[in-house]
């Protein structure tokens, strides 16, 4: 019994150690995936929110709606959305409004991007600067307008503190 508990504990520790490939101030993995829903690329911006979602998840859609609203109002960042789902009528219907090419874009069939970032659950998000340095990551439900503005305004301090 003791061996089983020890083995389970070690498995849980190793699973959590591999669950994240992101560190604040460090560069995030390059994204070469280009399977755009509706084919519209978002305009360039100094900051990008990278969102990992599932179109059938209410928390994912709620957080996207809030972030898209903030991005549209402030113009401070663009949104890049990744989903493991293939492009379908459901995906297009739910996520299609975020594939507008102005503020946001949606990439489908993005399982490889999920792996490269070490993302195992959705919703999950990362805010990066133009050099791909992570400024924030976690559950987007914890973000609001003030928090995003604070992260963006303090990005040099966040990255400098990692040196």
């Amino acid at each position: 019994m003791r061996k089983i508990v020890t083995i389970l504990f070690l498995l849980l520790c190793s699973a959590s150690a591999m669950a994240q490939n992101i560190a604040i101030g460090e560069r995030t993995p390059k994204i070469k995936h280009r399977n755009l829903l509706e084919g519209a690329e978002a305009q360039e911006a100094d900051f990008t929110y990278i969102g990992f979602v599932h179109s059938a998840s209410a928390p994912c859609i709620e957080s996207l709606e809030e972030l898209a609203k903030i991005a549209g109002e402030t113009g401070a960042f663009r949104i890049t959305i990744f989903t493991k789902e293939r492009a379908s009528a459901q995906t297009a219907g739910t996520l299609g409004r975020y594939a507008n090419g102005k503020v946001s874009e949606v990439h489908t069939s993005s399982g490889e991007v999920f792996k490269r970032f070490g993302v195992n659950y959705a919703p999950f998000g990362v805010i990066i600067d133009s050099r791909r340095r992570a400024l924030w990551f976690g559950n987007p439900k914890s973000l609001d307008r003030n928090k995003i503005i604070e992260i963006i305004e303090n990005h040099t301090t966040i990255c400098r503190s990692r040196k």
Side-chain angles (χ1 to χ4, degrees):
M1 183 67 171
R2 194 175 198 184
K3 273 186 176 180
I4 293 172
V5 171
T6 304
I7 291 170
L8 287 174
F9 177 74
L10 291 173
L11 286 172
L12 287 172
C13 289
S14 66
S16 64
M18 295 186 297
Q20 180 194 166
N21 295 334
I22 303 168
I24 300 296
E26 297 293 322
R27 287 187 189 228
T28 57
K30 285 186 178 180
I31 300 172
K32 297 179 182 175
H33 190 77
R34 289 282 173 218
N35 195 0
L36 289 170
L37 183 66
E38 305 294 324
E41 276 193 60
Q43 296 173 353
E44 288 298 316
D46 290 335
F47 302 95
T48 303
Y49 170 81
I50 301 171
F52 298 90
V53 303
H54 190 281
S55 66
S57 167
C60 289
I61 302 309
E62 289 169 8
S63 63
L64 275 179
E65 287 174 2
E66 183 64 25
L67 288 165
K69 179 180 162 191
I70 295 168
E73 290 172 354
T74 64
F77 63 99
R78 72 181 190 148
I79 300 174
T80 301
I81 302 164
F82 291 97
T83 181
K84 288 183 180 180
E85 305 162 76
R86 295 181 187 268
S88 67
Q90 178 186 350
T91 308
T94 307
L95 300 176
R97 64 179 168 256
Y98 303 106
N100 62 24
K102 184 176 180 185
V103 176
S104 59
E105 63 191 27
V106 177
H107 298 265
T108 58
S109 303
S110 304
E112 182 61 31
V113 179
F114 274 71
K115 285 181 191 174
R116 293 190 70 185
F117 276 78
V119 175
N120 295 317
Y121 65 90
F124 185 82
V126 182
I127 296 176
I128 62 172
D129 65 8
S130 59
R131 294 176 155 175
R132 292 189 352 260
R133 294 179 298 194
L135 305 176
W136 176 90
F137 63 88
N139 188 330
K141 297 294 272 180
S142 67
L143 286 175
D144 61 14
R145 180 187 182 101
N146 294 333
K147 180 71 174 170
I148 292 170
I149 291 170
E150 177 186 334
I151 291 166
I152 289 172
E153 287 178 350
N154 296 322
H155 78 279
T156 54
T157 307
I158 292 169
C159 294
R160 205 175 290 139
S161 67
R162 295 286 303 160
K163 292 182 179 179

